[in-house]
Amino acid sequence: MSNLSSKPYQIGYALTPKKEQTFIVPSLLSCAGQNGVVLTKIDPTKPLIQQGPFDCILHKLYDSDWKQNLQDFASRNPNIPIIDSPESIDILRNRISMLETVSKLKINNTGVPKQITITEVTGLENLKLNFPLIAKPLDADGSETSHKMHLIFDKDGLNNLTAPFVLQEFVNHGGVVFKVYVAGKYFRCVKRKSLPDISEEKLVNLKGSLPFSQVSNLAAAGGGEGCKFEKTEMPPESLVKELVEGLKEELRLNLFNFDVIRDGKNKENYLVIDINYFPGYAKMPDFESVITDFLRDVMHKDINCGDN
C-alpha cells in the first residue's frame, strides 16, 4: 500500500464506545495514516452537516436520531459514501431475517439450521424440532441481552425463557466454527473453538438448559464429544467465496462477518448459523491493512456502497 493522493481521505466514524475502543486502535490509525486515510470521530449528537468535511461516513449506531442525522446528511451529500445503509443493516438485527438471506442464495452444499420464532412461551409441546436446541433472543442489536443464549436439552428447558426468541436446532459440528470476515472485496476465514458435540447417548442424561457461558463446562464434565481443533480442515475457499459474494449482493453490505459450521452428519454440507454487521475486525489477521485497503477502495469508487 502507498499514499497515492496528496490530500488524505477524511473518514468520519460514529461508533459505540465499546466498538471504538476495539476498532479505532493505534495500529489501525497508523496504517491508515501512512496510506492517506484519516479517521475522525463524529459527535452523533450534533448535525453531521456541521461537522467534517468528510469523504466517507463509517458507522454502527442504531437509534432513530442518528438515522435521521444520516438521512439529512445523505440528502445534502448524495455522493459521499455511507458505510453501510441503515436499511440494509436492519436485516441483520433480526435473527430470522438475517438467515433468510442465506436460504435465498441456493448455493450447493450450504444452508441454515432448522429454526422457528417463539412469540409466546405457551403451546410448545409440538415444536417439530429435535433437541438439543439453541435459544437466541430474536433481536440481534449488539446489546448485552441479545448475546444471552442457552442450550436447551428438553422441553423443561424452555420454561424460563423470555419471548420473543428463536429456537434453532443444534447441529454437531466437531466443536469448530469458521468465522468469515468481509470488508468490501476482501475476506478472511479463520477457525475458532465452538460448542462441543453432543451424542444421543449423552443427551439422555442432560436435563433442562444451560447458558452459553457454562457450556464450556459441558466438555470438561464429559457431556460433550472431543474436539480435534488443530486437525480440522478449513472449508473450500471456492465455497467461502461464493457465500461472500452472494451475501454481499443479497444484503447490500460491505462490513460483516458470518459463522459457518461443517455438518457432523454430512461433511460436505456447511451451515451458516449467524451473521453480524461490523464485527470485531481486530480479531482478524492483518485487519489494519485490510480495513485501510477497503477504505481506499471506497474512495476510488471500487466498492458499491448501495443506497445511502
Side-chain angles (χ1 to χ4, degrees):
M1 295 183 299
S2 61
N3 185 0
L4 303 178
S5 173
S6 56
K7 180 184 177 184
Y9 298 123
Q10 300 291 333
I11 311 295
Y13 66 86
L15 307 171
T16 62
K18 183 179 179 181
K19 174 59 68 174
E20 182 179 346
Q21 185 178 10
T22 59
F23 183 73
I24 306 297
V25 293
S27 56
L28 174 62
L29 295 174
S30 175
C31 182
Q34 291 172 22
N35 290 277
V37 176
V38 176
L39 290 152
T40 303
K41 184 175 181 176
I42 290 170
D43 183 346
T45 67
K46 296 179 180 179
L48 274 169
I49 54 177
Q50 296 178 10
Q51 302 180 65
F54 301 118
D55 298 305
C56 173
I57 303 293
L58 200 64
H59 74 105
K60 190 181 183 181
L61 297 175
Y62 300 127
D63 63 89
S64 56
D65 288 343
W66 170 249
K67 288 183 178 180
Q68 186 61 52
N69 199 349
L70 265 183
Q71 188 173 331
D72 293 343
F73 178 84
S75 64
R76 297 195 185 193
N77 302 277
N79 295 321
I80 294 182
I82 293 176
I83 310 295
D84 274 303
S85 159
E87 291 75 19
S88 296
I89 296 171
D90 282 346
I91 296 172
L92 298 187
R93 299 186 67 207
N94 177 291
R95 285 198 164 90
I96 293 296
S97 63
M98 78 162 60
L99 293 190
E100 283 177 345
T101 60
V102 180
S103 301
K104 292 176 183 178
L105 300 181
K106 294 180 170 50
I107 297 174
N108 289 338
N109 299 324
T110 67
V112 299
K114 189 176 179 182
Q115 62 179 19
I116 58 173
T117 305
I118 303 297
T119 55
E120 294 182 8
V121 190
T122 57
L124 299 181
E125 292 79 19
N126 301 308
L127 287 174
K128 297 181 180 178
L129 295 175
N130 296 316
F131 290 100
L133 302 172
I134 298 175
K136 307 178 179 183
L138 178 61
D139 293 331
D141 56 8
S143 67
E144 188 174 331
T145 304
S146 71
H147 292 298
K148 290 187 176 179
M149 305 183 195
H150 292 77
L151 198 52
I152 312 295
F153 303 115
D154 53 28
K155 290 179 181 177
D156 290 340
L158 299 168
N159 294 336
N160 296 322
L161 299 177
T162 303
F165 57 88
V166 173
L167 285 178
Q168 185 182 89
E169 285 190 350
F170 176 79
V171 177
N172 282 334
H173 53 282
V176 177
V177 62
F178 304 102
K179 289 185 170 289
V180 182
Y181 293 88
V182 182
K185 66 184 181 183
Y186 307 96
F187 67 90
R188 296 280 191 277
C189 181
V190 299
K191 61 181 178 181
R192 296 284 184 262
K193 290 184 178 179
S194 178
L195 302 181
D197 286 354
I198 302 172
S199 67
E200 292 183 12
E201 293 77 16
K202 295 291 195 303
L203 183 59
V204 174
N205 298 315
L206 295 169
K207 305 296 182 185
S209 66
L210 199 62
F212 268 29
S213 59
Q214 297 178 21
V215 170
S216 58
N217 300 332
L218 187 65
E225 300 298 300
C227 164
K228 299 177 181 177
F229 179 76
E230 298 301 333
K231 296 181 180 179
T232 301
E233 293 184 5
M234 301 294 283
E237 186 171 356
S238 58
L239 182 74
V240 174
K241 186 175 182 179
E242 196 172 358
L243 277 169
V244 168
E245 295 301 326
L247 286 172
K248 275 199 303 183
E249 184 173 346
E250 189 65 39
L251 293 168
R252 293 179 299 132
L253 291 172
N254 289 288
L255 296 177
F256 63 95
N257 80 341
F258 55 96
D259 293 350
V260 184
I261 58 174
R262 181 182 287 120
D263 190 341
K265 291 183 178 179
N266 185 341
K267 304 295 186 183
E268 300 295 318
N269 285 345
Y270 292 86
L271 302 173
V272 177
I273 58 172
D274 198 21
I275 312 175
N276 300 288
Y277 177 65
F278 209 141
Y281 282 105
K283 300 174 185 175
M284 178 183 73
D286 198 26
F287 99 97
E288 298 91 345
S289 62
V290 171
I291 295 299
T292 298
D293 285 344
F294 162 70
L295 292 172
R296 289 186 60 85
D297 285 350
V298 171
M299 294 294 88
H300 292 151
K301 312 302 181 186
D302 292 336
I303 296 290
N304 180 10
C305 297
D307 300 324
N308 285 354

